Amino acid sequence: MKDILFITPPFTQLNTPYPATPYLKGFLNTKKISSFQMDLGIEVILAIFCKKGLQNIFDIAFKNEKISSYNSQRIYALKEEYLNKIDVVITFLQGKNQSFSRQICTDNFLPQASKFEQLDDLDWAFGTMGTQDKAKHLATLFLEDISDFIVECIDENFGFSRYAERLGKSANSFDELYHNLQHKTSFIDEITLNILEERLQEIQPKLVCISVPFPGNLYSAFRCAQFIKSKYSEIKIAMGGGFPNTELRSLTDIRVFEFFDYITLDDGELPVELLLSNVLDSTPNNPDYKLFKRTFLLEKGKVVYNNFLNNKDYKQADLGTPDYSDLLLDKYISVIEIVNPMHSLWSDGRWNKLTMAHGCYWGKCTFCDISLDYIKIYEPLTAKLLVDRMEEIISQTGENGFHFVDEAAPPALMRELAIEILKRKLTVTWWTNIRFEKSFTKDLCVLLKASGCIAVSGGLEVASDRLLALIKKGVTVEQVAKVTTNFTQAGVMVHAYLMYGFPTQTVQETVDSLEMVRQLFELGSFQSGFWHQFALTTHSPIGLSPSEFGVLPNYNKITFANNDIDFKDKTEINHDKFSFGLKKSIFNFMHEVGFELPLQDWFDFKIPTTTIANDFISNCLASETNFIPKPSAKIYWLGKTPLVSSFTKSKRGKTVQMLQLTFHENCDSFEISLEEDKGDWLLTMLSNIIITNNSSLTFTEIKIDFENYFNNFELFWHSKPINILRKKGLLVL
């Protein structure tokens, strides 16, 4: 028996838990409040994609006479193959029985339907040794074929990472969702509710908190709440998460509270603590009686917003470490949907999710919800506390991979995090979302890579300096080119978020933006990217002041969800028509093909010729700024202590004692030679700034120390031996 049951409803990710409930459970641990969490999505997926579940699907489809298309007929004809292979495929994708990959990769082992028709050149994509990834890709296509069968023959709303998403997208009125909830439960609903009932009987919670991060979770959240209300009316039910935080801030429809007792907004820790207090003791004797934080509820037949508690939210440092217990961590499924190493990060592997900071340190982008607390209130953690939490989570989960899910990770904190990881000699893999700002120097990118950073994602948005200024992005195309190249040269993959259809964007600017992106991919600055069309949201600066951006919004009456707004742009350009060509081009660029094609070839309508010179990005990268270390810059040595040998050298008719320093790296070795006295000084200095020794010196401190013994530090700093060390891990940060 637990006080609270946290639920993430179907569906989010197959490969890793969504982090909201582990965060809340970790906080409640600090308050000695008992809780249990479940990812209902992965449990439903496993109940469907097994031999028993698949047999039920085939039986129902046959009984209902729904098998009509050639594709579904083919799958049904091969049903014995699917039934015989499904369990071993799922086990393989869960990271077990890895030797099975060789069998999956053989011809004619897996049954193949429509998803295999456009199969990539797998030898090109994975090479001769990439058996595991190749097998994951084939197994993913196998599951996607079954998914297509389910959508066509069983439930049109099914999707691996969403369910009935259209019902949650910008549903200004609750009518359609409410109407669908009056229908008989679907096949997927029945599986969901059976699993839920087993857990309710086991846990016997007093409060159920359903976290709804996306529109694709909304329908299932309401179905679960409806079921609990009908069979366990004594249990109170609350909704929180990303969807209500952005979409339900204008809620007035009382019918919502036929399903939920409470809907909370923004950070959930204090609201949930107050909910439980009122559930456990709903009398005036309770000091928290009817005191809530950012909570909608029904009073006297009306929706009211109770934010009566004046206490501030807890500091991020006081929230405790996210707790992943209860979740079926060994049951998640790693899939590879497309042949792109960056894209696979989202779906392949079990990532522990953390944030370096609450909110966004920049907080100016005009398309972003910067008026809302989850963006507006910026509160970073310390590097020491972050790495403490990383070590605690590794101990609990056995996983060393971390995805920092920040709005934009702060460069200074990333630097301190990397240094702390290296000081502790902690072996981890991590990636995060950033802004492509000039703070990401070559040396910082090398440091991040050394600490385990394998990838970053960030918004170039529109590759136009005029539009970037209108967005208030705080970057230029040239700056993005240099920063992303710094990352890729350090061995860190880069994914770019790209936008088209921004207010006042012209057709010429869209074409020129594509040309910029083509060059960035061709030169290796980007490894991955995705185009999305601009969406006007209620809480963004553009949504709050549309006339300032040449936008004419079409407002609807709001009683339920309120986020995306229909609008007209004063340019009256139909940006929709660019969607297919932009996405087709970038798909090819990610596969390193199509760079030589004219941009016109990606579109089936006439576009203007680009005005961007074909060497624009290469010229940006060639214009290297003269880097002069700041006096306060910290100097670190990433390498090892060298082997030392002596030799003599004739210099201007004199015999000079020399030192040869031989440095061994994991994959290479190199040597430098110096006069003996300077070599001895350098050896001492390197030992004082080795990053794993938990020490560093500033550029000024090193300069002063050198000049206690020798002349002209600047000449020494720019000498050949130091230049070699600078390329091999002598960092200026």
Side-chain angles (χ1 to χ4, degrees):
M1 184 180 294
K2 303 286 185 181
D3 291 322
I4 298 178
L5 172 61
F6 289 115
I7 299 173
T8 304
F11 295 105
T12 48
Q13 287 179 267
L14 297 176
N15 62 310
T16 199
Y18 194 75
T21 64
Y23 264 80
L24 290 167
K25 184 177 175 68
F27 163 72
L28 293 182
N29 291 345
T30 70
K31 298 293 181 177
K32 309 300 182 186
I33 296 172
S34 63
S35 65
F36 190 94
Q37 61 184 330
M38 63 183 301
D39 180 350
L40 199 45
I42 191 63
E43 295 194 41
V44 171
I45 288 292
L46 294 175
I48 296 170
F49 290 87
C50 63
K51 188 170 186 177
K52 180 181 178 182
L54 205 51
Q55 183 66 65
N56 287 338
I57 286 169
F58 287 133
D59 290 346
I60 293 169
F62 181 78
K63 179 181 177 182
N64 294 340
E65 300 181 353
K66 293 283 188 178
I67 308 169
S68 56
S69 72
Y70 172 80
N71 192 56
S72 62
Q73 289 173 0
R74 174 173 172 78
I75 292 171
Y76 187 77
L78 293 168
K79 67 177 183 177
E80 292 303 323
E81 288 293 314
Y82 284 97
L83 290 170
N84 289 337
K85 306 291 170 56
I86 185 63
D87 287 340
V88 290
V89 166
I90 291 294
T91 300
F92 168 73
L93 292 175
Q94 289 172 333
K96 305 156 192 170
N97 194 18
Q98 292 299 285
S99 60
F100 192 62
S101 62
R102 296 182 182 276
Q103 179 79 307
I104 293 175
C105 291
T106 57
D107 292 337
N108 204 35
F109 177 72
L110 292 178
Q112 300 182 7
S114 63
K115 284 293 187 278
F116 286 79
E117 289 174 0
Q118 295 181 340
L119 198 61
D120 286 291
D121 182 344
L122 296 184
D123 287 337
W124 168 82
F126 299 105
T128 56
M129 297 299 291
T131 308
Q132 293 291 323
D133 283 353
K134 181 179 176 181
K136 283 183 183 179
H137 182 55
L138 293 171
T140 302
L141 299 178
F142 170 80
L143 296 185
E144 287 180 342
D145 275 337
I146 298 172
S147 175
D148 286 350
F149 186 87
I150 294 171
V151 170
E152 181 181 337
C153 304
I154 303 293
D155 191 336
E156 64 181 1
N157 290 314
F158 179 75
F160 276 121
S161 60
R162 62 192 63 85
Y163 186 79
E165 184 179 45
R166 65 177 184 81
L167 296 176
K169 277 193 169 181
S170 294
N172 299 147
S173 167
F174 188 48
D175 289 349
E176 185 178 7
L177 179 55
Y178 187 77
H179 177 71
N180 275 268
L181 289 165
Q182 310 312 309
H183 292 169
K184 182 182 176 182
T185 51
S186 69
F187 174 76
I188 305 297
D189 290 338
E190 289 294 325
I191 294 173
T192 302
L193 300 179
N194 286 339
I195 296 170
L196 174 60
E197 182 160 33
E198 287 181 18
R199 194 68 74 215
L200 289 170
Q201 292 177 355
E202 174 191 349
I203 303 303
Q204 299 179 36
K206 302 171 183 69
L207 172 65
V208 171
C209 294
I210 302 179
S211 178
V212 183
F214 308 115
N217 304 100
L218 188 68
Y219 169 85
S220 290
F222 272 89
R223 265 299 186 208
C224 291
Q226 182 185 49
F227 174 80
I228 297 169
K229 282 291 181 190
S230 66
K231 296 201 68 173
Y232 301 91
S233 58
E234 73 281 4
I235 298 176
K236 297 296 183 183
I237 313 169
M239 180 204 295
F243 181 86
N245 292 350
T246 53
E247 305 254 5
L248 299 186
R249 306 185 82 90
S250 304
L251 179 64
T252 60
D253 196 319
I254 62 173
R255 294 175 297 175
V256 171
F257 294 92
E258 295 175 21
F259 305 84
F260 291 93
D261 298 289
Y262 311 102
I263 294 179
T264 69
L265 303 181
D266 302 327
D267 294 352
E269 289 83 5
L270 184 53
V272 167
E273 184 182 18
L274 290 167
L275 290 183
L276 182 63
S277 176
N278 278 274
V279 167
L280 295 178
D281 183 359
S282 58
T283 69
N285 296 327
N286 182 358
D288 298 327
Y289 178 64
K290 291 192 175 181
L291 288 178
F292 297 96
K293 193 73 173 176
R294 297 184 301 273
T295 300
F296 285 108
L297 63 156
L298 200 63
E299 284 186 356
K300 298 179 180 178
K302 291 185 177 181
V303 179
V304 299
Y305 182 64
N306 186 320
N307 195 24
F308 295 158
L309 188 77
N310 292 323
N311 295 18
K312 291 184 178 180
D313 285 290
Y314 289 97
K315 293 289 185 183
Q316 295 298 302
D318 298 328
L319 297 183
T321 301
D323 183 349
Y324 284 85
S325 62
D326 310 326
L327 297 170
L328 308 179
L329 297 181
D330 61 340
K331 301 293 186 183
Y332 283 87
I333 301 169
S334 290
V335 297
I336 296 180
E337 298 170 68
I338 69 169
V339 182
N340 176 271
M342 185 74 198
H343 271 246
S344 71
L345 288 179
W346 277 277
S347 59
D348 184 20
R350 241 279 300 133
W351 299 100
N352 300 312
K353 299 196 178 186
L354 279 174
T355 49
M356 298 186 204
H358 181 286
C360 179
Y361 70 94
W362 179 248
K364 297 178 184 178
C365 296
T366 54
F367 62 82
C368 187
D369 293 341
I370 60 175
S371 65
L372 299 184
D373 284 356
Y374 82 95
I375 301 282
K376 181 172 64 177
I377 298 176
Y378 175 65
E379 186 185 344
L381 293 172
T382 65
K384 182 181 183 304
L385 181 57
L386 275 169
V387 182
D388 285 346
R389 290 182 176 178
M390 291 172 75
E391 290 184 320
E392 191 175 338
I393 291 172
I394 290 170
S395 177
Q396 183 190 67
T397 67
E399 296 283 353
N400 290 54
F402 289 85
H403 178 196
F404 289 96
V405 292
D406 293 64
E407 299 299 323
L413 182 52
M414 290 175 67
R415 179 190 66 220
E416 296 307 312
L417 174 71
I419 291 170
E420 188 69 22
I421 289 170
L422 290 166
K423 283 179 178 177
R424 299 194 195 187
K425 300 181 181 179
L426 188 64
T427 302
V428 294
T429 301
W430 62 277
W431 57 295
T432 191
N433 192 51
I434 64 167
R435 293 180 62 252
F436 295 128
E437 61 167 81
K438 60 185 178 183
S439 302
F440 291 108
T441 62
K442 287 184 177 180
D443 283 13
L444 178 53
C445 293
V446 169
L447 174 76
L448 297 175
K449 170 64 176 176
S451 73
C453 179
I454 58 167
V456 293
S457 57
L460 170 56
E461 318 307 351
V462 285
S464 155
D465 286 343
R466 181 189 78 83
L467 293 172
L468 286 170
L470 195 59
I471 290 173
K472 296 185 179 179
K473 192 70 184 177
V475 300
T476 63
V477 175
E478 179 176 345
Q479 182 180 311
V480 170
K482 289 182 175 180
V483 166
T484 54
T485 300
N486 288 345
F487 273 111
T488 54
Q489 288 181 348
V492 178
M493 292 189 294
V494 175
H495 173 86
Y497 297 110
L498 303 164
M499 183 188 297
Y500 63 101
F502 191 80
T504 74
Q505 184 171 2
T506 64
V507 170
Q508 186 67 61
E509 285 172 324
T510 300
V511 172
D512 288 350
S513 185
L514 175 57
E515 172 60 18
M516 298 276 205
V517 169
R518 184 195 69 79
Q519 292 183 31
L520 286 161
F521 270 100
E522 186 173 26
L523 292 172
S525 299
F526 293 170
Q527 289 73 55
S528 178
F530 183 78
W531 289 99
H532 65 275
Q533 190 167 352
F534 168 79
L536 178 62
T537 59
T538 304
H539 312 292
S540 67
I542 302 176
L544 295 171
S545 304
S547 60
E548 294 180 16
F549 296 85
V551 168
L552 184 65
N554 178 25
Y555 294 115
N556 295 323
K557 182 180 178 182
I558 306 298
T559 58
F560 186 55
N562 181 26
N563 192 34
D564 290 3
I565 305 171
D566 289 333
F567 71 97
K568 289 184 178 179
D569 181 357
K570 68 179 183 181
T571 64
E572 297 187 353
I573 295 169
N574 176 18
H575 294 286
D576 294 354
K577 66 181 182 179
F578 288 94
S579 177
F580 180 78
L582 291 173
K583 292 175 181 178
K584 181 181 179 182
S585 64
I586 205 167
F587 180 82
N588 281 271
F589 297 162
M590 287 192 294
H591 286 71
E592 300 181 12
V593 296
F595 296 127
E596 76 289 352
L597 296 177
L599 300 185
Q600 178 64 67
D601 286 11
W602 302 116
F603 302 94
D604 58 4
F605 56 92
K606 184 69 177 175
I607 62 168
T609 302
T610 181
T611 64
I612 305 300
N614 60 12
D615 58 355
F616 178 85
I617 298 297
S618 60
N619 287 339
C620 289
L621 299 177
S623 60
E624 194 61 57
T625 52
N626 188 23
F627 180 69
I628 302 174
K630 294 180 181 179
S632 59
K634 289 186 176 182
I635 314 299
Y636 288 98
W637 171 237
L638 282 179
K640 307 290 191 299
T641 301
L643 302 178
V644 183
S645 60
S646 301
F647 67 97
T648 59
K649 178 180 179 182
S650 178
K651 190 173 183 181
R652 296 174 185 172
K654 294 182 179 180
T655 300
V656 180
Q657 284 296 121
M658 303 288 290
L659 287 186
Q660 179 173 288
L661 310 184
T662 303
F663 296 83
H664 289 280
E665 301 174 303
N666 284 353
C667 301
D668 197 6
S669 60
F670 65 95
E671 299 170 348
I672 62 172
S673 299
L674 303 93
E675 295 172 7
E676 186 176 49
D677 51 356
K678 289 181 180 176
D680 287 335
W681 178 88
L682 182 60
L683 282 169
T684 302
M685 188 54 59
L686 289 178
S687 69
N688 288 333
I689 60 174
I690 289 179
I691 201 162
T692 52
N693 288 351
N694 197 21
S695 62
S696 68
L697 294 170
T698 66
F699 186 76
T700 296
E701 288 170 335
I702 291 176
K703 180 177 185 291
I704 290 171
D705 190 79
F706 181 89
E707 291 178 346
N708 285 335
Y709 306 96
F710 313 102
N711 296 320
N712 204 336
F713 175 73
E714 281 74 16
L715 183 63
F716 177 75
W717 182 256
H718 293 289
S719 65
K720 182 179 178 181
I722 299 302
N723 284 337
I724 292 173
L725 292 179
R726 290 282 288 119
K727 294 176 182 178
K728 294 292 188 177
L730 182 61
L731 305 182
V732 179
L733 300 169

